[in-house]
């Protein structure tokens, strides 16, 4: 039996990961440490497949006494570290919490794991059978020009936002703990995820929910930015594969092999909604698209080279973007209670007026809708 500490397990990817893990692995016990910030919700963890092998602990990853206590209490042998401030726009308007959680929080977990595993082991190699897995992002590599090759594991770091800079710092700390102390770590850098339980501040759920309500669909700048979209369950599978089969000390890039422009993503969502809710007063949903003032420092293009994980571990994404988007739109339509609970949050309403209130809105020319 593995005792797995998942940090940030009440968030989007963390909650999908816990659901996935309990389903595919009968031999794991999962401890979910999450502070329940605005981005975390216990609504994401209802109806877990094996609740008897799961426990929730509310708390901050920056609290060393708490993390030490949990490592001891549950005899943790595997850490899967998702907890982070994750939204680029929020990092632009208020970077401080990103430094705290993403850098200090990761440092705290590394220190605690190092000490607990060293003290609790009786073997000459204290790190036998344990693992610290750090979940990171493709944004640490910066932005690509149209003809640049995709990011590989050896692409130099060039983070551009406070969010990506804080994630880059955390990656460096994890790497340093492996190099200096021999801590058995793995790191994955993943591209944009989408799917069930994503908080509606991010592009895809924001567009689905705004469109259903007949609100404007705010596309930043010219909408020609490119992301490499991955269905969240494929990401969860890749992480667990890296934990089981990946080489200690290595990093693996994970991506979806799906690289449409933002405008295409939004148009596709509109078309799926036209089909699923043909009686909506807001059809055609494309008429709701508006160009709005761009994100400062907006990265133009991301793309991931996933040759390493494909060749070494045999992982590749299972979902095409169109399959994944259909499943995602269906999920948001089928889960109105979840949507209501999340949307009711005061913080979310405040965020919407803070981030979108001041932007200039323009209707795209015919042909660009
Ligand atoms: P999210 O914002 O949905 O969830 C983050 C979770 O962390 C929330 O449950 C929140 O309550 C918790 N948390 C925040 N601060 C905490 C703290 N100090 N202590 C304990 N818990 C805390 O994020 P996500 O989209 O699920 O991303 C998870 C991880 O994956 C992050 O590390 C992110 O950088 C990385 N990542 C995300 C994507 C993506 O597209 N969403 C892509 C690549 C990598
Ligand atoms: O690349 C991986 C990263 O993907 C993760 O590390 C981050 O945690 C995650 O939030 C995501 O970052 P992005 O900034 O790419 O995601 P977001 O959904 O915020 O934006 C996706 C694209 O859509 C981006 O080019 C900005 C644009 N956008 C976003 C919003 C919220 C809009 O055009 N309008 C919007 O209202």
């Amino acid at each position: 039996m593995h005792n797995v500490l998942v940090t940030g397990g009440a968030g989007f990817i963390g909650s999908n990961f816990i659901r996935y893990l309990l389903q595919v692995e009968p031999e794991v016990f999962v401890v979910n440490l999450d502070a329940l910030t605005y981005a975390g919700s216990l609504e994401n963890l209802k109806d877990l497949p094996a609740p008897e092998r799961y426990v929730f602990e509310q708390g901050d990853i920056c609290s060393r006494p708490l993390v030490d206590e949990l490592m001891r209490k549950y005899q943790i042998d595997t850490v899967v570290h998702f907890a982070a401030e994750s939204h680029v726009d929020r990092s632009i308007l208020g970077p401080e919490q990103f430094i705290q959680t993403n850098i200090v929080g990761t440092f705290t977990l590394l220190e605690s794991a190092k000490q607990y595993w060293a003290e609790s082991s009786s073997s000459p190699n204290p790190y036998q059978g344990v693992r610290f897995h750090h979940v990171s992002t493709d944004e640490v590599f910066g932005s690509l020009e149209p003809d640049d090759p995709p990011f590989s594991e050896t692409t130099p770091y060039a983070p551009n936002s406070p969010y990506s800079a804080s994630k880059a710092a955390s990656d460096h700390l994890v790497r340093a703990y492996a190099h200096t102390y021999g801590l058995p770590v793995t790191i994955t850098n993943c591209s944009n995820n989408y799917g069930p339980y994503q908080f509606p501040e991010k592009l895809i759920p924001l567009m689905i929910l705004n469109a259903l309500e007949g609100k404007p669909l705010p596309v930043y700048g010219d909408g020609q930015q490119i992301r490499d979209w991955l269905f969240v369950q494929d990401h969860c599978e890749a992480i667990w594969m890296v934990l089981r089969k990946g080489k200690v000390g290595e990093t693996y890039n994970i991506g979806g092999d799906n690289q449409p422009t933002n405008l295409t993503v939004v148009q596709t969502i509109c078309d799926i909604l036209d089909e699923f809710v043909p009686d909506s007063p807001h059809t055609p949903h494309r008429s709701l698209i508006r160009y709005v003032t761009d994100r400062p420092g907006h990265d133009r293009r991301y793309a991931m080279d996933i040759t390493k994980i494909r060749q070494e571990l045999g992982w590749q994404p299972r979902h095409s973007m169109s399959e994944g988007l259909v499943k995602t739109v269906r999920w948001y339509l089928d889960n109105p209670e979840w949507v209501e609970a999340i949307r009711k949050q005061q913080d979310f309403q405040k965020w919407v007026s803070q981030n979108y209130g001041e932007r200039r809105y323009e209707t795209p020319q015919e042909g660009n809708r």
Side-chain angles (χ1 to χ4, degrees):
M1 174 74 92
H2 281 291
N3 294 327
V4 182
L5 176 67
V6 175
T7 70
F12 164 49
I13 308 175
S15 62
N16 275 284
F17 180 75
I18 290 173
R19 202 171 287 279
Y20 170 83
L21 195 53
L22 290 172
Q23 208 153 20
V24 300
E25 281 296 334
E27 295 294 308
V28 293
F29 183 81
V30 176
V31 181
N32 175 9
L33 169 60
D34 195 297
L36 295 183
T37 68
Y38 80 90
S41 171
L42 296 181
E43 296 286 324
N44 298 354
L45 293 154
K46 285 188 170 161
D47 306 322
L48 287 178
E52 70 286 358
R53 289 189 285 114
Y54 166 80
V55 67
F56 177 70
E57 296 276 358
Q58 182 167 3
D60 190 337
I61 57 165
C62 301
S63 164
R64 179 73 192 271
L66 172 65
V67 178
D68 286 351
E69 184 201 321
L70 297 181
M71 294 294 292
R72 269 197 307 272
K73 180 171 162 192
Y74 295 107
Q75 298 177 21
I76 297 298
D77 54 57
T78 306
V79 175
V80 188
H81 175 33
F82 293 94
E85 288 294 332
S86 71
H87 192 31
V88 174
D89 290 319
R90 289 195 192 239
S91 83
I92 294 167
L93 292 173
E96 197 166 337
Q97 194 55 43
F98 287 72
I99 306 306
Q100 193 59 25
T101 291
N102 299 1
I103 306 178
V104 178
T106 302
F107 167 70
T108 307
L109 289 167
L110 287 165
E111 274 290 292
S112 180
K114 171 167 85 69
Q115 188 180 341
Y116 169 68
W117 288 333
E119 286 174 1
S120 61
S121 167
S122 51
S123 88
N125 172 7
Y127 299 137
Q128 189 83 39
V130 301
R131 180 77 72 83
F132 188 104
H133 182 75
H134 178 60
V135 179
S136 192
T137 170
D138 59 356
E139 300 203 9
V140 297
F141 300 119
S143 183
L144 293 169
E145 295 298 326
D147 296 327
D148 285 345
F151 302 131
S152 76
E153 286 79 1
T154 55
T155 302
Y157 275 31
N160 287 321
S161 71
Y163 162 70
S164 53
S166 67
K167 290 296 290 187
S170 67
D171 293 10
H172 291 324
L173 280 170
V174 175
R175 184 181 180 281
Y177 271 66
H179 187 80
T180 306
Y181 306 112
L183 199 73
V185 309
T186 36
I187 299 178
T188 44
N189 292 89
C190 188
S191 61
N192 284 64
N193 283 218
Y194 67 100
Y197 302 103
Q198 188 166 29
F199 192 81
E201 65 188 355
K202 305 284 167 63
L203 180 76
I204 288 179
L206 180 88
M207 295 297 161
I208 298 171
L209 299 189
N210 276 14
L212 285 172
E213 284 194 282
K215 291 184 176 162
L217 307 182
V219 172
Y220 293 166
D222 62 2
Q224 295 306 303
Q225 306 83 2
I226 291 177
R227 299 290 181 266
D228 185 341
W229 294 96
L230 178 69
F231 192 62
V232 63
Q233 287 157 12
D234 292 344
H235 185 189
C236 297
E237 186 177 33
I239 291 173
W240 191 235
M241 197 170 273
V242 168
L243 274 155
R244 284 183 306 126
K245 298 206 228 155
K247 272 199 219 123
V248 168
E250 292 288 314
T251 72
Y252 295 88
N253 279 1
I254 304 172
D257 262 349
N258 289 304
Q259 291 144 15
T261 64
N262 289 346
L263 184 62
T264 303
V265 171
V266 177
Q267 288 169 332
T268 310
I269 292 169
C270 290
D271 297 347
I272 296 171
L273 283 172
D274 287 352
E275 201 183 311
F276 283 176
V277 280
D279 299 335
S280 162
H282 313 302
T283 54
H285 290 91
R286 284 185 183 212
S287 66
L288 301 168
I289 294 175
R290 299 287 179 275
Y291 288 136
V292 303
T293 316
D294 208 350
R295 171 186 281 176
H298 198 171
D299 284 341
R300 195 69 179 165
R301 173 178 166 239
Y302 305 142
M304 288 300 245
D305 178 346
I306 56 170
T307 309
K308 180 174 174 181
I309 191 169
R310 194 178 254 148
Q311 287 185 348
E312 287 187 15
L313 307 185
W315 177 88
Q316 60 181 17
R318 290 181 192 271
H319 291 80
S320 69
M321 180 101 196
S322 49
E323 283 167 333
L325 270 185
V326 164
K327 276 194 184 177
T328 305
V329 173
R330 191 73 265 164
W331 188 87
Y332 281 88
L333 287 171
D334 290 346
N335 288 277
E337 297 89 11
W338 183 91
V339 170
E340 252 341 277
I342 301 293
R343 224 179 355 208
K344 267 204 314 243
Q345 276 187 27
Q346 268 190 355
D347 178 273
F348 181 57
Q349 301 307 336
K350 208 168 99 196
W351 167 251
V352 169
S353 57
Q354 193 185 357
N355 190 46
Y356 297 96
E358 302 288 307
R359 289 180 196 263
R360 196 167 27 81
Y361 281 69
E362 280 169 25
T363 309
Q365 303 293 307
E366 198 67 43
N368 261 342
R369 277 181 218 158

